[in-house]
Amino acid sequence: MKTLSLIAQKGGTGKTSLSIHLAVQASLSGMKVLLVDTDPQASATAWWKRREEATPELIQCRGENLPRVLNAATGQGFDLVVVDTAPHSSKESTACARMSDWVYIPSRPAILDLDAIGASTELVTAVDVPARILLNCCPPATRFGEPHIVTEARQALKVYGIPVCEVAISQRAAFSHALIDGRAVTEFDRKTKAALEIDRLWKTMRQEMSL
Ligand SMILES: Nc1ncnc2c1ncn2[C@@H]1O[C@H](COP(=O)(O)OP(=O)(O)O)[C@@H](O)[C@H]1O
Ligand SMILES: [Mg+2]
């Protein structure tokens, strides 16, 4: 069983949206997946309650109870645990990072978000867990390739010493629309641009995490 946490001290970077999409994608690929919602705002839980499918499974818990949840999940045959975390609590985020095999730090490519990422990268570096920064809400690539703002963000993020995931997730209405009735973009139409991005992200992550 592997544990993947989505951590960012800043709110609104896509922790919940990406946790949900990755957990669904892992389920669709045949894994037994547990999504753990450690955020008191409980957005992932609200999504899950609107959902008709039984997978991925979801449990709500406080960060401090994560060891117990992971212990129980090990005995229940889960292949992957995806942990959605709350912003603004470095203590809880550090505890989650410590219990993870991998951490992904979502960030928007805008300068204010890039400026704010230091708190998250420091925390993750201190724990010494394998990590990637994941650019989210990016302008979509065009026929000329990746937009400048994304390329520049990759450049600016080099100072933190944490590799940036080669897949950047675009800002697309589908990512929020899909969540309205408890689904993920890949459950509507696997051929949409949003679905193809998530599929590519999942395949890349799966390879990186040796899943
Ligand atoms: N790639 C995306 N495209 C469009 N909207 C997005 C995307 N990622 C996140 N959002 C939207 O941005 C807002 C914040 O995302 P959320 O996943 O709740 O972030 P966090 O959990 O880090 O606070 C939500 O309204 C969500 O629907
Ligand atoms: Mg959230």
Side-chain angles (χ1 to χ4, degrees):
M1 188 183 86
K2 291 272 171 71
T3 303
L4 160 71
S5 290
L6 282 283
I7 291 176
Q9 295 292 281
K10 196 172 190 319
T13 62
K15 292 178 288 298
T16 301
S17 306
L18 293 165
S19 299
I20 286 172
H21 278 93
L22 290 167
V24 168
Q25 203 56 12
S27 293
L28 290 174
S29 74
M31 288 184 178
K32 185 169 155 81
V33 182
L34 179 64
L35 179 55
V36 181
D37 187 358
T38 66
D39 187 348
Q41 282 194 353
S43 316
T45 305
W47 165 82
W48 192 75
K49 285 183 178 161
R50 293 193 295 271
R51 186 167 171 79
E52 286 174 6
E53 300 292 327
T55 59
E57 292 178 46
L58 179 141
I59 188 165
Q60 240 181 320
C61 87
R62 292 168 58 158
E64 68 208 46
N65 293 329
L66 191 57
R68 227 175 302 155
V69 167
L70 293 181
N71 220 355
T74 309
Q76 289 165 20
F78 283 101
D79 301 301
L80 177 70
V81 177
V82 180
V83 185
D84 181 22
T85 64
H88 312 310
S89 167
S90 57
K91 204 170 144 220
E92 277 217 0
S93 301
T94 303
C96 290
R98 218 167 254 137
M99 281 172 270
S100 302
D101 298 294
W102 271 88
V103 170
Y104 273 75
I105 306 172
S107 176
R108 293 176 184 244
I111 187 69
L112 295 180
D113 293 82
L114 299 177
D115 283 347
I117 204 173
S120 310
T121 54
E122 269 172 35
L123 172 167
V124 167
T125 305
V127 170
D128 197 21
V129 56
R132 295 281 182 271
I133 295 169
L134 176 52
L135 290 169
N136 182 33
C137 290
C138 299
T142 65
R143 64 196 166 96
F144 302 112
E146 195 166 78
H148 286 308
I149 188 173
V150 181
T151 314
E152 283 161 13
R154 289 187 189 280
Q155 198 61 31
L157 286 166
K158 280 188 179 158
V159 296
Y160 297 109
I162 294 180
V164 180
C165 183
E166 66 181 73
V167 181
I169 299 296
S170 305
Q171 166 102 34
R172 296 185 193 278
F175 284 116
S176 45
H177 279 163
L179 305 184
I180 293 170
D181 63 355
R183 288 194 278 175
V185 290
T186 40
E187 293 175 306
F188 279 91
D189 178 352
R190 286 187 163 213
K191 294 282 179 284
T192 60
K193 287 179 178 165
L196 291 173
E197 278 182 3
I198 288 297
D199 188 48
R200 221 182 119 220
L201 173 64
W202 168 240
K203 285 185 176 140
T204 303
M205 291 174 76
R206 193 172 182 174
Q207 208 164 24
E208 280 178 339
M209 294 191 287
S210 308
L211 276 170

